[in-house]
Amino acid sequence: MLHFPSANSAAHRPSLRDVARLGELLNDDVWAFSNCRVDAPGRPVAEIDWFFYNVRHGTLMVSEWKGFPHRVVSATDTGARWQLEGGLLVANPIEQVSKQLDAVRLALRNGILPQYFPDFDPRQLLLMQSVYSPQVDERTEIERIRWGKVYGSLPDLAAVISTSTSPAPLHLPGADARLGLAKALCALFRTSCPADVKARLGVPKHDAGVDVVQRISEIHRQIAALHVELADLLLAGAGGNSRHAEPKPQPEPPAPAAAVVKATKPAPALTEQQRMHAHVVRSFQGVNGSVDAAARALEKAWAAVLADPLLHGAAGISVTSFGSAGSPLVKEKHGSLSKVLGMQLRKWCILQAEAAGLKPRDVAGKPSNIRVR
């Protein structure tokens, strides 16, 4: 899967676990644009969770992703709300995705088709629509949906994206147009085109649009990051990092000599703030100046904090300490942490912990702390 994430640093981001799972289920024939904003003439700006384009089959899908507080008991077609376990009624996402689909169709007809598919009849443009919610299961009563499908598992959704065909497929006009079309769709959906995606699109290494100096700088930073990771692995292998390896048994020390041996003063243990700072600094090694790179570095640092048993004290993990360590590394270029993450730090930390399969809880008397163990 080629993933084109939102270019807006304040936009919501899909779960890293969901993106990784989609990457396992979909190959590079599928272009996936997440958290899109679409301007269509005469219509309000449409917020799109996911837009999928299978370039091999020429099929398109607009997908609304919903997370509900309880299991979905009943999923109905347009005209009625959905019912959750416990009796709560919620807005019908089928109706939401239908409105989004109209905006996407109009924008594609006006902007993309005339330039990249001039021979395609705009009236034949077909888009699939779907709703994905992990709270939908085998017990959910799904009414017959006229214009879309409801999915409760990513493999089921991915299978449709991968295999569906269309009576009017929108095939790529040629291999040379891949990058141009991808950039045009990114502009339409306000998403970015990461460097690794450009490489997988087959962009020439010496493309005229590439800033050679910037790219060389990025490569050096990536090499530096690999050296840091290699050093950590060497320490782990030598038993120097208790988080990654069990300590190796040490041989019995030799009998002390007759002379008096001066005891070596043990190094002082790192404070919580120092350990937190070390995780953050290590994660920012080799990071370039983009907002997305900063956000990924913070995700890596927080994952390291969650895995560090010495930061799970009686009062839980201090989100404030994590913020104090991360703020100086993003403030100069990107402003506050909340601007980089698209939400308040504590909320983001909780969502990341949940995405990792943990169950974060509040700590009484410590509003800035959370406990996950």
Side-chain angles (χ1 to χ4, degrees):
M1 178 185 75
L2 301 184
H3 180 212
F4 303 87
S6 174
N8 181 4
S9 61
H12 290 295
R13 301 282 171 173
S15 161
L16 295 178
R17 184 169 55 184
D18 288 341
V19 173
R21 185 64 175 136
L22 284 175
E24 295 172 356
L25 296 168
L26 302 171
N27 60 29
D28 286 359
D29 290 335
V30 177
W31 297 4
F33 302 81
S34 62
N35 300 105
C36 316
R37 288 173 60 85
V38 179
D39 285 319
R43 294 179 180 272
V45 175
E47 305 281 350
I48 313 294
D49 286 342
W50 286 91
F51 175 82
F52 297 101
Y53 175 28
N54 187 321
V55 298
R56 177 177 294 275
H57 296 300
T59 51
L60 312 168
M61 176 187 283
V62 177
S63 188
E64 175 76 5
W65 287 33
K66 286 293 185 183
F68 296 110
H70 305 290
R71 188 179 69 84
V72 178
V73 174
S74 174
T76 58
D77 199 0
T78 57
R81 290 189 290 176
W82 284 19
Q83 181 180 344
L84 307 184
E85 201 166 51
L88 180 65
L89 297 176
V90 296
N92 189 326
I94 289 289
E95 295 176 351
Q96 293 176 263
V97 74
S98 296
K99 294 177 182 178
Q100 296 167 2
L101 184 138
D102 290 339
V104 172
R105 181 189 291 112
L106 186 57
L108 291 174
R109 285 178 175 177
N110 289 339
I112 301 299
L113 296 186
Q115 183 175 359
Y116 292 94
F117 305 90
D119 298 328
F120 188 88
D121 184 354
R123 294 170 298 180
Q124 293 185 340
L125 183 65
L126 300 175
L127 289 86
M128 297 183 290
Q129 63 186 47
S130 69
V131 172
Y132 164 71
S133 173
Q135 285 74 45
V136 170
D137 59 23
E138 66 279 357
R139 295 177 293 162
T140 302
E141 294 182 7
I142 301 178
E143 182 182 322
R144 181 182 177 88
I145 310 294
R146 288 171 295 172
W147 308 115
K149 292 280 288 183
V150 175
Y151 300 97
S153 77
L154 284 182
D156 290 345
L157 174 61
V160 173
I161 297 168
S162 297
T163 61
S164 292
T165 57
S166 171
L170 194 68
H171 286 304
L172 278 169
D176 294 340
R178 288 169 60 87
L179 179 60
L181 176 58
K183 287 183 174 179
L185 290 171
C186 284
L188 173 65
F189 295 128
R190 302 185 190 179
T191 57
S192 61
C193 187
D196 64 315
V197 172
K198 289 181 181 178
R200 288 155 69 185
L201 280 168
V203 182
K205 293 183 179 179
H206 300 291
D207 182 72
V210 173
D211 185 331
V212 176
V213 175
Q214 176 66 26
R215 182 60 189 137
I216 291 174
S217 174
E218 291 175 353
I219 292 172
H220 279 299
R221 291 173 185 273
Q222 291 165 0
I223 292 173
L226 290 173
H227 279 297
V228 172
E229 184 176 351
L230 180 59
D232 287 343
L233 292 173
L234 289 172
L235 286 172
N241 189 333
S242 61
R243 293 191 298 112
H244 298 288
E246 293 295 326
K248 293 185 177 180
Q250 299 295 320
E252 289 295 326
V260 176
V261 179
K262 184 178 180 179
T264 302
K265 184 179 180 180
L270 294 178
T271 65
E272 176 187 286
Q273 185 63 38
Q274 288 171 331
R275 292 190 70 85
M276 196 81 73
H277 185 263
H279 286 310
V280 174
V281 170
R282 183 180 291 110
S283 299
F284 269 85
Q285 290 286 339
V287 171
N288 61 28
S290 73
V291 172
D292 287 341
R296 287 193 295 271
L298 289 168
E299 291 167 2
K300 181 179 178 182
W302 181 241
V305 169
L306 292 174
D308 188 339
L310 296 182
L311 290 177
H312 295 260
I317 302 175
S318 173
V319 174
T320 299
S321 294
F322 181 74
S324 298
S327 291
L329 298 177
V330 303
K331 183 176 181 180
E332 182 178 350
K333 290 186 177 181
H334 310 301
S336 66
L337 286 175
S338 59
K339 184 176 180 181
V340 173
L341 301 174
M343 64 185 74
Q344 291 299 313
L345 177 62
R346 189 175 190 279
K347 178 180 178 182
W348 178 87
C349 288
I350 290 174
L351 291 176
Q352 292 295 314
E354 291 175 341
L358 302 174
K359 296 181 179 180
R361 307 182 305 280
D362 295 336
V363 179
K366 298 281 186 179
S368 67
N369 289 22
I370 61 173
R371 182 176 287 116
V372 296
R373 293 184 179 179

